[in-house]
Amino acid sequence: ESARNVTCVGALPVAITNNLNFSSPEDDIGYWQLSSSCNGISEACKILETPVTGGNVSLYNESKDDQGIITPIQPTPVIGMVGIIDNAENAIKSGWKCTNDEIWLIGSKSSETTLAASSYLEYFHGHIVGRPPKINLEDEKFIQEIVRLAILSGLISSCHDVSDGGLAISIAECCILSSKGANIFLDESGRMDNLLFSEGGSRIVFSIDKNKNNLWQKFLENQQNHIKSSIFIKKIGKVTNQDLNITHMDKLICNLKMSTLTDKFNNAMTSDF
């Protein structure tokens, strides 16, 4: 996700630092969590070619109640990623840019999407359970290369990764950050909550300038022979001046006013908090 965030502005991820916050490594589960996290970071950094330049570790993060019961923190590895872009003026933002721009989605069919360990499962159902989605790191790297090339070619107007909260939340954030709405059309079968809120899939949402559609189509044609069968790139909607509408199989399943979205985003912590 850190590399994706760097890529989404048009920069090349080059290195990371980390901050590993865990409970006691003297406990079997705590040791396994720390070890698994280190292995995962190492594997990803090798594939993405982003060496670890440094970092720190905070262990034994746990609390004890009056009965002596110890409660460990959730394992919390933090990644700081640095990237390089030759001209900062070419960097783009997450929010939509212009009305009627096309909205596209790129992702990996071999990288898992799941509600397990998701924000949706935690905030709507109160469960912090399940394994995070499995990821195809080779697909992840390729997707980022395609997106960066399109950004540096001047074809992509805005770009945002799909992470916490899934596709619906990423689209909502693009709307909030631009004060523009979107008409989104989803045609996949399956559970509605999974379509909207599942995480993973190495996915990125981006918009294409409505005046550069022909150039974008030519770009896709030129890349066709290099794109793996496990990668999908599809148009899912367009930018509007009004609400966020999401349609599934010709049925409207979401209609949110921009004023409502913006208010919830900006005033989540009220003065009474």
Side-chain angles (χ1 to χ4, degrees), residues 23-24 60-65 68-74:
S23 59
S24 171
Y60 300 97
N61 293 288
E62 47 202 22
S63 60
K64 183 186 292 186
D65 63 18
I69 298 175
I70 295 177
T71 302
I73 66 163
Q74 294 294 333

Side-chain angles (χ1 to χ4, degrees), residues 213-231:
N213 179 265
N214 290 337
L215 291 174
W216 168 244
Q217 294 297 335
K218 187 174 182 179
F219 174 85
L220 289 180
E221 291 174 6
N222 291 337
Q223 296 297 320
Q224 198 62 47
N225 293 333
H226 307 291
I227 297 177
K228 299 164 59 177
S229 59
S230 57
I231 305 297

Side-chain angles (χ1 to χ4, degrees), residues 14 28 40 83 87 111-112 142 147 156 171 203 210 215 273:
V14 293
D28 288 348
N87 186 348
S111 288
E112 184 183 21
F142 181 81
V147 169
I156 291 181
I171 291 171
R203 294 171 294 172
K210 59 182 180 296
L215 291 174
F273 183 73

